[in-house]
Amino acid sequence: MKLSSETRFALIFHLVLWTIWFGLPFASAPDDRFRRISIALIPVTFTNIPLFLANSDWLIPYIFRRRGLTVYFSAVLVLIAVFAIGQGFMKESLIPPDLIRHHWDWFWFIVPVIFVTALSTGYGFIRYMLAEEKARQEEQQERLKSEVSFLRTQISPHFIFNVLNSIVYLIRSKSEQAEHVTMKLSELMRYMLYQSGDAQVALEQEVSYLKNYVELQKIRFEDDVDIRLNIQGAAGAHRIEPMLLIPFVENAFKHGVGLIPDPMIDISLKTNEKTLVFEVLNKIAPESAEDKDPASGIGLKNVRRRLELLYPEKHQLDIQNKEGLFSIRLALEFGEK
């Protein structure tokens, strides 16, 4: 059974602490008399273990967390009193009379109990704060996963709608390419269904998906639209968020074709060992502004949000719309392989 890092830390901490606690009296005893007293008090020393655990593993996570500092502090005082009295009577009864030179001062019965309680308080609060931070991070990760999953479900239907329009066009025109395009669509759908649910996919898969989509659009528009795709650099072992690049291309085909003179869509992807640079450029008509269509911009808004969530401070997204040209430039830093 594999132990968690928290469990390993707790085991090592207790092993070191109690080894020192039990061994120090023998190592520092000035003579045989003190060593005999240390041996006689071993049962008393053992009672410090439940004292430590009662405070660190019960009072702090349960009493302090649920009832607050005042109740916790009162409980600690009771705990100190109980163990100090108990250990005092044990010491009086366990030490042989021939080793006692004077009556034990009850002040020195309380000191070890207070010291152990202080150690357990520091240890317990460190564990408590680490557990709270871990729970907060796990909660944040769950919210992140939920939001990203929701954003993906919004992108996919939009994409399917656009591709189905392409197939309808080819069927109506009785094009021989209809069957080929349908097969390409099946490959795209397979990627969407079985790969886009993963946390990340190989960059090579995302690039292949992009190529299939562009090829499908080339078949649909034939020579009516100047479609350029330039891919430079090897994908290597890099991984990327799935369905991250396609919304930019979808947006170009949605707003860069139609009643536009000499429509042109230029797509460029460059990769190296550290970065990815993705650029999409298309002509756009003044009357096709995105705010006139309620469904416009869904893909761009979603991918912008996903970039903020999944690549904070590791991306630069520049979107410009001027002089009849709409351009998008995404620079992305790769994480560790």
Side-chain angles (χ1 to χ4, degrees):
M1 181 177 64
K2 186 176 180 180
L3 299 177
S4 65
S5 58
E6 293 85 356
T7 302
R8 288 198 301 270
F9 169 77
L11 290 175
I12 294 173
F13 176 86
H14 281 286
L15 180 62
V16 173
L17 172 64
W18 299 117
T19 298
I20 296 174
W21 191 267
F22 280 88
L24 188 60
F26 296 96
S28 60
D31 52 38
D32 183 64
R33 173 177 169 273
F34 279 94
R35 279 190 289 271
R36 290 174 63 188
I37 292 177
S38 298
I39 294 173
L41 293 181
I42 286 178
V44 178
T45 305
F46 269 108
T47 63
N48 289 312
I49 297 177
L51 167 62
F52 189 101
L53 296 176
N55 184 32
S56 65
D57 290 18
W58 181 61
L59 290 185
I60 292 176
Y62 295 103
I63 303 301
F64 171 76
R65 182 177 185 181
R66 299 176 183 177
R67 306 295 295 277
L69 183 61
T70 302
V71 177
Y72 166 73
F73 184 70
S74 301
V76 169
L77 291 179
V78 172
L79 188 70
I80 291 174
V82 170
F83 274 86
I85 294 172
Q87 288 188 8
F89 282 112
M90 289 181 67
K91 289 176 179 178
E92 291 283 3
S93 62
L94 290 174
I95 298 177
D98 62 307
L99 297 179
I100 299 178
R101 294 181 179 176
H102 56 79
H103 290 290
W104 288 85
D105 189 340
W106 278 89
F107 174 78
W108 296 108
F109 292 167
I110 298 176
V111 169
V113 175
I114 293 177
F115 184 73
V116 172
T117 305
L119 281 177
S120 64
T121 299
Y123 170 80
F125 271 106
I126 290 174
R127 289 189 62 189
Y128 172 78
M129 289 186 291
L130 290 176
E132 289 291 303
E133 177 63 19
K134 181 180 179 181
R136 187 190 67 79
Q137 290 180 356
E138 289 177 349
E139 181 181 357
Q140 184 177 7
Q141 286 295 322
E142 287 301 319
R143 288 200 302 267
L144 176 64
K145 290 178 182 178
S146 298
E147 185 171 357
V148 171
S149 177
F150 173 71
L151 292 174
R152 287 178 180 175
T153 61
Q154 287 185 294
I155 293 173
S156 298
H158 186 213
F159 170 76
I160 295 172
F161 177 79
N162 289 341
V163 176
L164 287 177
N165 277 344
S166 300
I167 295 178
V168 169
Y169 172 86
L170 291 172
I171 292 175
R172 286 178 177 176
S173 62
K174 297 181 180 180
S175 171
E176 296 180 356
Q177 295 289 343
E179 181 178 357
H180 176 68
V181 172
T182 303
M183 294 300 297
K184 284 293 179 183
L185 175 61
S186 68
E187 294 179 13
L188 299 177
M189 291 290 294
R190 186 179 298 109
Y191 179 84
M192 291 173 57
L193 291 174
Y194 299 108
Q195 300 295 333
S196 64
D198 297 340
Q200 288 191 329
V201 297
L203 177 59
E204 184 178 2
Q205 291 179 291
E206 185 77 358
V207 172
S208 177
Y209 176 73
L210 176 64
K211 288 179 179 178
N212 285 337
Y213 180 86
V214 172
E215 182 179 347
L216 184 151
Q217 296 291 14
K218 284 183 177 180
I219 293 173
R220 172 190 171 185
F221 291 106
E222 296 179 343
D223 295 330
D224 294 336
V225 180
D226 182 11
I227 302 174
R228 310 167 190 170
L229 176 62
N230 179 28
I231 298 178
Q232 299 180 19
H238 294 302
R239 300 185 68 82
I240 192 173
E241 163 75 6
M243 304 288 290
L244 188 67
L245 305 179
I246 200 66
F248 299 121
V249 182
E250 281 190 85
N251 184 77
F253 279 102
K254 183 173 184 178
H255 300 286
V257 299
L259 301 178
I260 299 176
D262 301 322
M264 176 272 298
I265 296 176
D266 191 347
I267 305 165
S268 171
L269 176 65
K270 300 177 182 179
T271 59
N272 56 39
E273 295 181 357
K274 297 182 179 180
T275 60
L276 173 150
V277 177
F278 186 63
E279 297 178 292
V280 181
L281 177 69
N282 61 275
K283 292 183 178 180
I284 186 169
E287 64 274 12
S288 64
E290 291 186 3
D291 56 1
K292 292 187 178 182
D293 185 353
S296 295
I298 291 178
L300 293 186
K301 291 177 183 177
N302 287 350
V303 76
R304 188 194 296 272
R305 179 59 179 157
R306 284 200 290 162
L307 285 167
E308 293 173 355
L309 293 171
L310 299 172
Y311 296 94
E313 300 180 0
K314 289 189 176 182
H315 77 279
Q316 292 181 345
L317 180 61
D318 181 34
I319 299 178
Q320 296 187 18
N321 183 358
K322 59 183 180 181
E323 299 180 357
L325 292 175
F326 190 86
S327 65
I328 294 174
R329 184 181 187 276
L330 170 65
L332 188 70
E333 296 180 19
F334 290 117
E336 295 180 2
K337 296 183 182 181

